[in-house]
Amino acid sequence: APETINIKGTRSVPEIQIFSIALKDGELKTDVLRCIDQAIPFPILFELRFDGKVKPIAAYKRPSETDATQWVISEYLDSDWAADDITRRPLPMVFDLKALYDHLLAPLIPYPARPAESLQARVDRMERIRLKERELVRCEARLRKEKQFNRKVAINAELRTIKEILAALQK
């Protein structure tokens, strides 16, 4: 909160919640995290702990443009498990909680940032990449099942287009 770290809040990030969750086994479904995210009207960073390791996970969360009382939650971003006894990096020098939130989420996005690309744009691009990856898997499955040569040619053309779009998004 702004009162605890002396950084002013913004309309999109009035405060940042950090939840540390100890797991009994090494997995937690994102549905559980989404339920928590929907119940709490602030951006949340989760730290999953299991067997001496820690894994950060979060969804980019912002107020809805149509209804200020609702929040829009992206897909979940996470990194690999790391030993929990490593020293943490100090917090960056920022002027508001929005910049701090952006700085905390940026390392969780698996694709490199483009020049002058905002975090919101990176998250949107990441979601489009994941959507295209799912579309690619479905298209490949259709190709394997198809028996007719002319339909296979059309599906192959569709596959090439999807792969080109995916490659352009990942750059």
Side-chain angles (χ1 to χ4, degrees), residues 10-11 15 25 31-34 37 53 66 70 75 80 86 88-89 91 95 98 104 109 127 132 137 147 149 170-171:
T10 63
R11 180 179 112 31
E15 74 179 56
D25 61 3
D31 294 341
V32 174
L33 300 178
R34 187 164 301 280
D37 259 326
K53 295 181 180 176
T66 56
Q70 298 295 315
E75 290 187 41
D80 295 327
I86 61 171
R88 294 178 186 249
R89 293 180 300 176
L91 291 177
F95 295 110
K98 170 79 170 115
L104 293 172
I109 299 176
E127 288 181 342
K132 285 293 176 188
V137 168
K147 302 292 184 213
F149 179 75
Q170 290 176 336
K171 289 182 184 176

Short mmCIF file of all heavy atoms in Angstrom, two decimals, residues 10-11 15 25 31-34 37 53 66 70 75 80 86 88-89 91 95 98 104 109 127 132 137 147 149 170-171:
data_model
loop_
_atom_site.label_atom_id
_atom_site.label_comp_id
_atom_site.label_asym_id
_atom_site.label_seq_id
_atom_site.Cartn_x
_atom_site.Cartn_y
_atom_site.Cartn_z
N THR A 10 -1.89 4.58 -7.96
CA THR A 10 -2.54 5.14 -9.15
C THR A 10 -3.95 4.56 -9.24
O THR A 10 -4.31 3.66 -8.48
CB THR A 10 -1.76 4.77 -10.43
OG1 THR A 10 -1.77 3.35 -10.59
CG2 THR A 10 -0.33 5.28 -10.38
N ARG A 11 -4.74 5.08 -10.18
CA ARG A 11 -6.10 4.56 -10.34
C ARG A 11 -6.07 3.09 -10.76
O ARG A 11 -6.85 2.29 -10.29
CB ARG A 11 -6.84 5.39 -11.39
CG ARG A 11 -8.27 4.93 -11.61
CD ARG A 11 -9.02 5.75 -12.61
NE ARG A 11 -9.43 5.23 -13.87
CZ ARG A 11 -9.75 3.97 -14.20
NH1 ARG A 11 -9.64 3.04 -13.34
NH2 ARG A 11 -10.16 3.64 -15.39
N GLU A 15 -2.96 -0.39 -4.88
CA GLU A 15 -2.03 -1.12 -4.02
C GLU A 15 -1.76 -2.48 -4.63
O GLU A 15 -2.49 -2.93 -5.50
CB GLU A 15 -2.53 -1.22 -2.58
CG GLU A 15 -3.65 -2.19 -2.33
CD GLU A 15 -4.04 -2.22 -0.86
OE1 GLU A 15 -4.38 -1.18 -0.28
OE2 GLU A 15 -4.05 -3.34 -0.30
N ASP A 25 1.56 -30.40 -2.57
CA ASP A 25 2.24 -31.03 -3.69
C ASP A 25 2.66 -29.90 -4.63
O ASP A 25 2.33 -28.75 -4.41
CB ASP A 25 1.36 -32.07 -4.40
CG ASP A 25 0.09 -31.49 -4.99
OD1 ASP A 25 -0.12 -30.27 -4.91
OD2 ASP A 25 -0.71 -32.27 -5.55
N ASP A 31 -7.26 -22.02 -11.66
CA ASP A 31 -8.64 -21.68 -11.30
C ASP A 31 -8.72 -21.18 -9.86
O ASP A 31 -9.50 -20.29 -9.54
CB ASP A 31 -9.56 -22.89 -11.46
CG ASP A 31 -9.70 -23.32 -12.91
OD1 ASP A 31 -9.40 -22.50 -13.80
OD2 ASP A 31 -10.11 -24.48 -13.15
N VAL A 32 -7.89 -21.75 -8.98
CA VAL A 32 -7.86 -21.31 -7.58
C VAL A 32 -7.34 -19.88 -7.51
O VAL A 32 -7.91 -19.02 -6.81
CB VAL A 32 -6.96 -22.25 -6.73
CG1 VAL A 32 -6.81 -21.73 -5.31
CG2 VAL A 32 -7.53 -23.66 -6.74
N LEU A 33 -6.28 -19.60 -8.24
CA LEU A 33 -5.72 -18.25 -8.25
C LEU A 33 -6.70 -17.26 -8.86
O LEU A 33 -6.85 -16.14 -8.37
CB LEU A 33 -4.40 -18.23 -9.03
CG LEU A 33 -3.29 -19.13 -8.49
CD1 LEU A 33 -2.06 -19.04 -9.38
CD2 LEU A 33 -2.94 -18.80 -7.06
N ARG A 34 -7.39 -17.67 -9.92
CA ARG A 34 -8.37 -16.79 -10.56
C ARG A 34 -9.50 -16.45 -9.60
O ARG A 34 -9.98 -15.32 -9.55
CB ARG A 34 -8.91 -17.42 -11.84
CG ARG A 34 -9.79 -16.48 -12.63
CD ARG A 34 -10.01 -16.93 -14.06
NE ARG A 34 -8.81 -17.07 -14.84
CZ ARG A 34 -8.15 -16.06 -15.41
NH1 ARG A 34 -8.57 -14.83 -15.25
NH2 ARG A 34 -7.08 -16.28 -16.14
N ASP A 37 -8.14 -13.88 -7.31
CA ASP A 37 -8.00 -12.63 -8.05
C ASP A 37 -9.34 -11.93 -8.25
O ASP A 37 -9.43 -10.71 -8.18
CB ASP A 37 -7.36 -12.89 -9.43
CG ASP A 37 -5.89 -12.53 -9.45
OD1 ASP A 37 -5.49 -11.58 -8.76
OD2 ASP A 37 -5.13 -13.22 -10.16
N LYS A 53 11.53 -24.45 -2.56
CA LYS A 53 11.58 -23.68 -3.79
C LYS A 53 10.43 -22.70 -3.82
O LYS A 53 9.43 -22.88 -3.14
CB LYS A 53 11.53 -24.59 -5.01
CG LYS A 53 12.74 -25.50 -5.13
CD LYS A 53 12.65 -26.34 -6.35
CE LYS A 53 13.88 -27.24 -6.44
NZ LYS A 53 13.80 -28.15 -7.56
N THR A 66 -15.05 -0.20 -19.05
CA THR A 66 -16.49 0.04 -19.09
C THR A 66 -17.11 0.14 -17.71
O THR A 66 -18.08 0.85 -17.52
CB THR A 66 -17.20 -1.06 -19.88
OG1 THR A 66 -16.89 -2.32 -19.30
CG2 THR A 66 -16.77 -1.05 -21.33
N GLN A 70 -15.21 -3.34 -11.84
CA GLN A 70 -14.77 -4.66 -12.31
C GLN A 70 -13.31 -4.62 -12.72
O GLN A 70 -12.79 -3.59 -13.11
CB GLN A 70 -15.62 -5.11 -13.51
CG GLN A 70 -17.09 -5.27 -13.19
CD GLN A 70 -17.34 -6.38 -12.19
OE1 GLN A 70 -16.78 -7.45 -12.30
NE2 GLN A 70 -18.19 -6.12 -11.20
N GLU A 75 -4.30 -13.91 -18.72
CA GLU A 75 -3.83 -15.27 -18.42
C GLU A 75 -2.69 -15.16 -17.41
O GLU A 75 -2.07 -14.11 -17.27
CB GLU A 75 -3.31 -15.94 -19.70
CG GLU A 75 -4.42 -16.29 -20.68
CD GLU A 75 -3.90 -17.10 -21.84
OE1 GLU A 75 -3.06 -18.00 -21.62
OE2 GLU A 75 -4.34 -16.84 -22.96
N ASP A 80 10.11 -20.10 -13.65
CA ASP A 80 10.49 -21.42 -13.17
C ASP A 80 10.66 -21.41 -11.65
O ASP A 80 10.81 -20.37 -11.02
CB ASP A 80 11.82 -21.84 -13.82
CG ASP A 80 11.67 -22.02 -15.33
OD1 ASP A 80 10.59 -22.43 -15.78
OD2 ASP A 80 12.64 -21.73 -16.05
N ILE A 86 17.61 -17.80 -2.13
CA ILE A 86 18.41 -16.84 -2.90
C ILE A 86 18.05 -15.42 -2.48
O ILE A 86 16.93 -15.16 -2.03
CB ILE A 86 18.20 -17.01 -4.43
CG1 ILE A 86 16.74 -16.77 -4.81
CG2 ILE A 86 18.69 -18.34 -4.91
CD1 ILE A 86 16.50 -16.70 -6.30
N ARG A 88 16.94 -11.69 -2.83
CA ARG A 88 16.04 -11.01 -3.75
C ARG A 88 16.68 -9.72 -4.25
O ARG A 88 17.46 -9.10 -3.54
CB ARG A 88 14.73 -10.67 -3.06
CG ARG A 88 13.93 -11.88 -2.67
CD ARG A 88 12.67 -11.44 -1.94
NE ARG A 88 11.95 -12.57 -1.44
CZ ARG A 88 10.78 -12.96 -1.91
NH1 ARG A 88 10.21 -12.30 -2.88
NH2 ARG A 88 10.18 -14.01 -1.41
N ARG A 89 16.30 -9.36 -5.45
CA ARG A 89 16.76 -8.08 -5.97
C ARG A 89 16.05 -6.97 -5.22
O ARG A 89 14.87 -7.11 -4.86
CB ARG A 89 16.44 -7.96 -7.46
CG ARG A 89 17.21 -8.94 -8.31
CD ARG A 89 16.85 -8.78 -9.76
NE ARG A 89 15.40 -9.03 -9.90
CZ ARG A 89 14.72 -8.90 -11.02
NH1 ARG A 89 15.33 -8.51 -12.09
NH2 ARG A 89 13.45 -9.15 -11.07
N LEU A 91 13.97 -3.52 -4.61
CA LEU A 91 12.91 -2.90 -5.40
C LEU A 91 13.50 -1.77 -6.22
O LEU A 91 14.42 -1.07 -5.78
CB LEU A 91 11.82 -2.36 -4.47
CG LEU A 91 10.98 -3.40 -3.74
CD1 LEU A 91 9.99 -2.72 -2.81
CD2 LEU A 91 10.24 -4.29 -4.73
N PHE A 95 8.30 5.88 -9.27
CA PHE A 95 7.53 6.98 -8.72
C PHE A 95 6.13 6.60 -8.27
O PHE A 95 5.52 7.31 -7.48
CB PHE A 95 7.44 8.12 -9.74
CG PHE A 95 8.76 8.74 -10.03
CD1 PHE A 95 9.35 8.56 -11.26
CD2 PHE A 95 9.43 9.47 -9.06
CE1 PHE A 95 10.59 9.12 -11.54
CE2 PHE A 95 10.67 10.03 -9.33
CZ PHE A 95 11.25 9.85 -10.57
N LYS A 98 2.08 1.74 -10.14
CA LYS A 98 1.90 1.21 -11.49
C LYS A 98 3.25 0.82 -12.09
O LYS A 98 3.41 -0.27 -12.65
CB LYS A 98 1.20 2.26 -12.37
CG LYS A 98 1.16 1.93 -13.84
CD LYS A 98 0.07 0.93 -14.14
CE LYS A 98 -0.11 0.80 -15.65
NZ LYS A 98 0.24 -0.51 -16.15
N LEU A 104 7.58 -5.60 -11.67
CA LEU A 104 7.49 -6.93 -11.06
C LEU A 104 6.94 -7.99 -12.03
O LEU A 104 7.34 -9.15 -11.97
CB LEU A 104 6.61 -6.88 -9.81
CG LEU A 104 7.16 -6.08 -8.62
CD1 LEU A 104 6.11 -5.94 -7.54
CD2 LEU A 104 8.42 -6.70 -8.08
N ILE A 109 6.90 -12.50 -18.19
CA ILE A 109 6.43 -12.66 -19.56
C ILE A 109 7.53 -13.36 -20.36
O ILE A 109 8.65 -12.88 -20.42
CB ILE A 109 6.07 -11.30 -20.18
CG1 ILE A 109 4.94 -10.65 -19.36
CG2 ILE A 109 5.64 -11.46 -21.64
CD1 ILE A 109 4.56 -9.28 -19.82
N GLU A 127 -0.98 -13.06 -25.02
CA GLU A 127 -2.25 -13.77 -25.12
C GLU A 127 -2.57 -14.14 -26.57
O GLU A 127 -3.09 -15.22 -26.83
CB GLU A 127 -3.37 -12.94 -24.50
CG GLU A 127 -3.28 -12.90 -22.99
CD GLU A 127 -4.38 -12.10 -22.33
OE1 GLU A 127 -5.05 -11.29 -23.01
OE2 GLU A 127 -4.57 -12.27 -21.12
N LYS A 132 -2.77 -18.32 -30.81
CA LYS A 132 -2.27 -18.86 -32.08
C LYS A 132 -1.63 -20.23 -31.88
O LYS A 132 -1.75 -21.10 -32.74
CB LYS A 132 -1.28 -17.90 -32.74
CG LYS A 132 -1.92 -16.70 -33.36
CD LYS A 132 -2.77 -17.12 -34.55
CE LYS A 132 -3.50 -15.95 -35.15
NZ LYS A 132 -4.47 -16.33 -36.16
N VAL A 137 -2.04 -26.11 -32.82
CA VAL A 137 -2.19 -27.50 -32.37
C VAL A 137 -3.48 -28.10 -32.96
O VAL A 137 -3.48 -29.25 -33.44
CB VAL A 137 -2.19 -27.56 -30.82
CG1 VAL A 137 -2.65 -28.92 -30.32
CG2 VAL A 137 -0.81 -27.21 -30.29
N LYS A 147 -7.94 -37.26 -44.67
CA LYS A 147 -7.54 -38.29 -45.63
C LYS A 147 -7.43 -37.73 -47.05
O LYS A 147 -6.60 -38.17 -47.83
CB LYS A 147 -8.55 -39.44 -45.63
CG LYS A 147 -8.73 -40.10 -44.28
CD LYS A 147 -7.48 -40.84 -43.86
CE LYS A 147 -7.75 -41.56 -42.55
NZ LYS A 147 -6.60 -41.64 -41.70
N PHE A 149 -6.46 -35.50 -50.14
CA PHE A 149 -5.26 -34.73 -50.48
C PHE A 149 -5.57 -33.23 -50.64
O PHE A 149 -4.83 -32.39 -50.13
CB PHE A 149 -4.63 -35.27 -51.76
CG PHE A 149 -3.41 -34.51 -52.18
CD1 PHE A 149 -2.21 -34.66 -51.50
CD2 PHE A 149 -3.47 -33.62 -53.24
CE1 PHE A 149 -1.09 -33.95 -51.88
CE2 PHE A 149 -2.35 -32.91 -53.63
CZ PHE A 149 -1.16 -33.07 -52.94
N GLN A 170 6.15 -13.40 -32.00
CA GLN A 170 7.17 -13.77 -31.03
C GLN A 170 8.43 -12.92 -31.14
O GLN A 170 9.27 -12.96 -30.26
CB GLN A 170 7.52 -15.24 -31.16
CG GLN A 170 6.40 -16.14 -30.70
CD GLN A 170 6.69 -17.62 -30.91
OE1 GLN A 170 7.47 -17.99 -31.76
NE2 GLN A 170 5.99 -18.45 -30.15
N LYS A 171 8.59 -12.17 -32.21
CA LYS A 171 9.78 -11.32 -32.37
C LYS A 171 9.69 -10.09 -31.53
O LYS A 171 8.69 -9.54 -31.26
CB LYS A 171 9.97 -10.92 -33.81
CG LYS A 171 10.40 -12.09 -34.68
CD LYS A 171 10.61 -11.64 -36.09
CE LYS A 171 10.93 -12.81 -36.98
NZ LYS A 171 11.06 -12.47 -38.36
#
